[in-house]
Amino acid sequence: MNRMIVSAVALAPGLAGGAMAQTAPSPVAPARVIYVYAGQLLDRPGERPRGNATIIVRDGKVAEVRDGYAVAERGATVLDLKDRFVMPGLIDLHVHLWGIGGDPLKVRLGKLTRDGFDDMVEAQKNARADLEAGFTTVRDLGGDVRGIRALRDAIEAGEIDGPSIINAGQMISVTGGHGDGGNGLAEEFANAVHATEINLCDGPDACRRAVRVQIGLGAQVIKFAATGGVLSNVAGGLGRQMTPEEMKAIVDTAHSFGRKVAAHSHAAEGTKAALEAGVDSIEHGSFLDDEAIRLFKAKGAYLVPTMLAPRAALAQARGGQLPAATIPKAEAAAAAMLDSHRRAIAAGVKIAFGTDTGVSKHGDNAREFALMVTAGMTPTAVLRAATLDAADALGRKESLGSLEPGKFADIIAVAGDPLADVTRMEHVDFVMRHGVAVKLRGARQAFPPN
């Protein structure tokens, strides 16, 4: 890691009480060893918290977890969270960082005055908001493929602050489908858009090429639109838009490059075709029937519910912030989603956390937890869905999702017990990513750390 660890002395005087009386590390060469004292530690979500514990961080990774409060070695930084519930950093599998998230009217009114430079600035702000909300890793499922790649790489290089990003580039879509940027435009403008869009495909061969183009531009995961979408400016509904053969070509090509595949899907027909094609996750899954639920279990795919999104979209559409064509789609998705997800959860379908943040506001991601509990999940299960299970869905369980030796020191803390009241997760007041504290006692920390 090339980012320097900041001493807690410099960040928050008095935070660690008496333990802070140790010799402070030089500001020129900050300590790379941190002792985090946890009042309650949920080091492996899904299991019982282990009570008072110490997490020892070395060079941005967890080196050791001990029961009780270990005596810190000489020169180490101590972070006193003895009055906090401590757990791994959260993972949101479905965000959109590019542009102005959660304010569609501002996006529409600004189309003639805004460009990619403005969108990159907003993407950085959105990334920081998600990080401060406790989401130390996000999967970006649709944005400017080159812009998100640049943001991802700058964060990893320690040049700007934000969560780790696993990016999909642009969503692959059929012409006229949910991911077609020319929808609703006059013919000459639609033709101009179609002349430059690299994410559209019609037929299996074209879909294979679209996947390869996205990968060539830096996509780490592939997303495609199996069905219509709520935010499309067409009144085409939420039914299947892509053929099974096109879906199979996308999935097979992505897997041959070692990429996982996420399918945007509302209608059961699209969900079933995507599952048959071997997709790794279904995003939304608003309308599920018994056969779709059976296929989820048979194929081992994850459902990423995004229950927050249709509620946000419906409120925006009714308030005039979205085109009128979105209103009946948002109403249908919101009405069906809760019942579909309740049945999937009861049947034992694998669930991973995702919000579609960008439809809703960045930083509000944790509001999804209460909705998941309403759908029948326990607080224990939803915290696992946002940590270990989300890491598994990413194929990154070896480095994310729990606080175990060798994994990244992505650590958050809240006041109170989120296993008793999951809304506690909406108020994360300590965030560490890769061993760097970015939020302490609710206060944003300076970047870069000095």
Side-chain angles (χ1 to χ4, degrees):
M1 299 299 298
N2 61 355
R3 290 181 66 169
M4 306 287 279
I5 304 299
V6 183
S7 166
V9 176
L11 288 175
L15 176 67
M20 299 300 293
Q22 302 173 66
T23 302
S26 164
V28 177
R32 300 185 68 87
V33 180
I34 303 172
Y35 279 57
V36 180
Y37 294 157
Q40 290 285 315
L41 176 62
L42 186 65
D43 54 333
R44 287 187 54 84
E47 300 179 3
R48 292 173 60 86
R50 61 193 294 167
N52 298 346
T54 302
I55 308 164
I56 303 174
V57 177
R58 298 184 190 277
D59 296 326
K61 293 188 176 181
V62 176
E64 189 176 353
V65 179
R66 300 181 190 173
D67 290 325
Y69 300 131
V71 177
E73 61 194 73
R74 182 176 178 81
T77 296
V78 173
L79 295 178
D80 187 345
L81 301 175
K82 294 175 184 175
D83 59 349
R84 291 292 188 266
F85 187 102
V86 178
M87 62 177 291
L90 304 172
I91 302 171
D92 191 333
L93 290 179
H94 195 136
V95 305
H96 299 279
L97 295 168
W98 199 250
I100 304 172
D103 193 350
L105 184 61
K106 190 173 181 180
V107 173
R108 290 169 62 201
L109 295 177
K111 279 192 178 296
L112 296 179
T113 59
R114 296 179 55 84
D115 57 24
F117 298 104
D118 301 288
D119 289 336
M120 175 58 93
V121 172
E122 294 296 334
Q124 292 183 49
K125 290 161 58 179
N126 293 337
R128 179 73 197 212
D130 290 348
L131 178 62
E132 289 186 4
F135 292 85
T136 52
T137 300
V138 299
R139 186 175 64 168
D140 186 278
L141 286 187
D144 183 273
V145 60
R146 185 63 186 87
I148 294 297
R149 187 183 94 184
L151 178 62
R152 175 198 77 194
D153 292 349
I155 290 170
E156 289 309 306
E159 295 165 354
I160 59 176
D161 224 2
S164 301
I165 298 172
I166 292 85
N167 61 306
Q170 293 175 279
M171 177 172 63
I172 295 172
S173 167
V174 296
T175 302
H178 178 47
D180 184 347
N183 284 337
L185 300 181
E187 182 178 5
E188 63 178 297
F189 297 116
N191 289 341
V193 169
H194 290 160
T196 58
E197 281 189 317
I198 57 174
N199 64 312
L200 300 185
C201 64
D202 299 295
D205 287 343
C207 288
R208 291 186 189 97
R209 176 171 176 75
V211 171
R212 292 168 181 155
V213 168
Q214 294 299 315
I215 291 172
L217 290 171
Q220 296 175 317
V221 62
I222 294 297
K223 181 190 179 186
F224 69 90
T227 73
V230 171
L231 299 186
S232 300
N233 190 23
V234 291
L238 299 172
R240 179 168 65 83
Q241 294 182 338
M242 190 173 279
T243 69
E245 293 77 17
E246 289 167 332
M247 296 186 202
K248 189 70 163 59
I250 290 170
V251 172
D252 287 350
T253 304
H255 284 173
S256 74
F257 279 85
R259 266 59 172 183
K260 288 183 176 287
V261 186
H264 159 99
S265 187
H266 288 287
E269 183 184 3
T271 296
K272 289 184 284 191
L275 290 168
E276 289 281 15
V279 76
D280 298 290
S281 70
I282 295 289
E283 313 299 307
H284 316 306
S286 305
F287 302 87
L288 299 178
D289 57 21
D290 291 342
E291 177 63 10
I293 290 173
R294 185 194 69 78
L295 281 170
F296 265 110
K297 299 188 71 175
K299 299 290 185 176
Y302 275 96
L303 171 62
V304 181
T306 68
M307 288 184 250
L308 187 59
R311 290 165 173 80
L314 185 56
Q316 293 160 0
R318 288 174 173 169
Q321 295 175 283
L322 291 170
T326 66
I327 295 177
K329 294 185 288 185
E331 289 175 337
M337 187 176 272
L338 182 58
D339 178 65
S340 289
H341 294 163
R342 277 177 172 159
R343 291 191 294 112
I345 291 164
V349 170
K350 295 197 300 185
I351 306 293
F353 185 95
T355 61
D356 209 359
T357 289
V359 177
S360 54
K361 291 185 180 297
H362 288 274
D364 287 349
N365 318 49
R367 290 172 55 201
E368 183 84 12
F369 286 116
L371 297 175
M372 296 171 79
V373 169
T374 300
M377 296 183 74
T378 64
T380 296
V382 298
L383 294 185
R384 182 182 171 98
T387 51
L388 276 171
D389 291 340
D392 183 53
L394 289 173
R396 302 197 179 198
K397 280 184 72 173
E398 78 289 345
S399 59
L400 300 171
S402 61
L403 296 174
E404 300 178 83
K407 293 192 175 186
F408 286 120
D410 293 349
I411 305 170
I412 65 171
V414 298
D417 183 358
L419 297 176
D421 177 7
V422 78
T423 63
R424 296 281 187 179
M425 300 305 300
E426 297 175 17
H427 307 285
V428 172
D429 65 5
F430 172 83
V431 180
M432 172 183 283
R433 176 186 169 271
H434 289 16
V436 177
V438 298
K439 189 177 184 181
L440 287 168
R441 300 292 182 185
R444 172 186 287 196
Q445 302 306 302
F447 181 85
N450 34 38

